């Protein structure tokens, strides 16, 4: 009698994780997301662990969440996962400011962004 189940947003061989309200600009976050696109997950985790970017730690946690979702929720093999997509979106911008000379006001924007990571299981070529 209830409602039908919502269809999956990703394919059967995919899993995703989303991270919202990251305190960095989307432009800076996209530099780190470019670092992992299309790579195997263990290589991507290694690259993020040794990256000097501040936000790389949060991206690594999101990737680990996507891997855990793939393993626990969808029954995918962790050794055959690649980062299929890693895309960045804008979120809110806090507007702050600082008084400047001659009655002016210097505006300071503090942007937030969000990150979506999709991992896909590929079959090993023998």
């Amino acid at each position: 009698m209830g409602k039908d189940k919502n269809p999956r947003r990703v394919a059967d061989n995919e899993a995703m994780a989303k991270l919202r309200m990251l305190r960095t600009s989307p432009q800076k976050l996209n530099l780190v997301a470019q670092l992992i696109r299309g790579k195997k997950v263990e290589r991507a985790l290694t690259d993020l662990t040794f990256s000097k970017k501040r936000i790389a730690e949060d991206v690594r946690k999101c990737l680990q969440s996507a891997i855990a979702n793939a393993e626990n929720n969808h029954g995918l093999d962790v050794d055959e996962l690649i980062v299929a997509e890693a895309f960045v979106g804008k979120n809110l911008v806090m507007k702050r400011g600082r008084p400047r000379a001659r009655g002016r006001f210097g505006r300071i924007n503090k942007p937030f962004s969000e990150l979506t990571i999709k991992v896909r299981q590929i079959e090993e070529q023998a």
Side-chain angles (χ1 to χ4, degrees):
M1 185 69 193
K3 296 193 310 189
D4 290 338
K5 191 167 84 169
N6 286 333
R8 285 191 58 190
R9 288 186 284 170
V10 292
D12 289 336
N13 63 341
E14 287 183 344
M16 70 177 261
K18 192 163 189 171
L19 199 58
R20 292 189 174 99
M21 297 298 288
L22 279 169
R23 179 59 190 89
T24 186
S25 71
Q27 189 174 10
K28 291 178 184 176
L29 183 58
N30 195 37
L31 292 174
V32 180
Q34 281 178 344
L35 190 67
I36 63 170
R37 284 190 192 118
K39 292 186 178 178
K40 288 184 150 283
V41 290
E42 60 266 6
R43 175 64 194 238
L45 284 172
T46 306
D47 289 350
L48 289 171
T49 302
F50 295 106
S51 174
K52 291 185 177 183
K53 300 279 189 184
R54 175 188 64 87
I55 204 66
E57 180 68 25
D58 293 326
V59 176
R60 188 177 61 81
K61 286 182 183 178
C62 184
L63 179 57
Q64 285 175 330
S65 176
I67 294 168
N69 289 342
E71 185 179 17
N72 296 322
N73 299 346
H74 308 302
L76 303 178
D77 185 19
V78 177
D79 297 328
E80 297 177 358
L81 291 178
I82 63 163
V83 180
E85 296 177 30
F87 55 91
V88 176
K90 292 201 303 189
N91 209 316
L92 68 92
V93 177
M94 287 195 308
K95 280 95 174 174
R96 298 294 182 260
R98 185 177 185 127
R100 307 304 291 178
R102 297 166 65 177
R104 294 192 175 97
F105 189 70
R107 188 163 173 180
I108 298 172
N109 291 330
K110 299 188 176 213
F112 285 75
S113 52
E114 53 188 52
L115 172 71
T116 305
I117 295 179
K118 286 185 183 178
V119 292
R120 182 178 297 138
Q121 180 176 347
I122 56 165
E123 305 305 322
E124 294 282 333
Q125 287 86 15

